[in-house]
Amino acid sequence: MNATNLALGQRVPSMSLTCADSLPRTIAAPGTSQLVTFATVSDCAACEAHMSGLETLAKAGALPVETMVVFWAPRADVARALRLMRSSIARPLCRDEHDSLWIRLDITHTPVTALIRDGRIALLDDGPLFSPVEQRLFADRVRRLSVDR
């Protein structure tokens, strides 16, 4: 795990996001569980192992919670970022429009996926999800951690 500034149990601020599909979404809404991948358009090619595995799971309906990608891009680069990311991401694609999450959470490494449960990080993962076994194990962890306790 390279997302050194994110931590299990860390509070994530609830906020509305601007999403490419024009549907309103709120990250870290009270009482919800969400699987959120934080990404930038410049993520390394090796990181595709993580992103493509999540796309496979989402398309198969194997993730038991709402899932989305929250991306950051410089204001002048947003249109290009959307074009590039839409070509490989089927999950809802939302923008951290005012850089609020990147600043408040001090995100320094992407992509990284967080299960946010009732406003707190319950799972962090940035590992490869190439194989069906890795994907199944990840989906099982999400399922186990997203249920009410």
Side-chain angles (χ1 to χ4, degrees):
M1 168 58 59
N2 294 317
T4 55
N5 296 326
L6 295 175
L8 293 176
Q10 181 176 355
R11 180 155 297 287
V12 176
S14 179
M15 64 176 46
S16 297
L17 297 172
T18 301
C19 300
D21 61 8
S22 300
L23 294 176
R25 289 198 173 70
T26 301
I27 189 171
T32 65
S33 290
Q34 299 166 310
L35 195 63
V36 178
T37 301
F38 296 99
T40 67
V41 73
S42 61
D43 285 334
C44 62
C47 300
E48 288 300 311
H50 182 71
M51 296 291 279
S52 64
L54 287 166
E55 289 304 308
T56 299
L57 288 167
K59 287 176 185 172
L63 296 170
V65 295
E66 176 187 17
T67 180
M68 69 179 81
V69 175
V70 176
F71 78 96
W72 176 87
R75 292 192 197 294
D77 216 15
V78 170
R80 183 180 80 82
L82 272 171
R83 250 189 339 275
L84 290 171
M85 294 181 100
R86 276 185 177 160
S87 68
S88 62
I89 296 173
R91 292 176 291 150
L93 186 57
C94 305
R95 181 172 165 235
D96 184 6
E97 192 168 3
H98 303 289
D99 307 335
S100 301
L101 289 167
W102 257 252
I103 292 167
R104 287 170 106 175
L105 299 177
D106 197 18
I107 298 171
T108 58
H109 167 81
T110 60
V112 62
T113 299
L115 175 65
I116 302 170
R117 185 170 176 266
D118 203 21
R120 293 196 177 274
I121 296 175
L123 174 144
L124 281 170
D125 195 287
D126 65 353
L129 297 170
F130 273 135
S131 76
V133 171
E134 290 167 327
Q135 293 169 12
R136 181 180 49 78
L137 291 172
F138 179 80
D140 287 348
R141 284 176 56 210
V142 171
R143 191 172 296 105
R144 208 173 42 254
L145 290 168
S146 65
V147 296
D148 289 332
R149 294 175 193 238

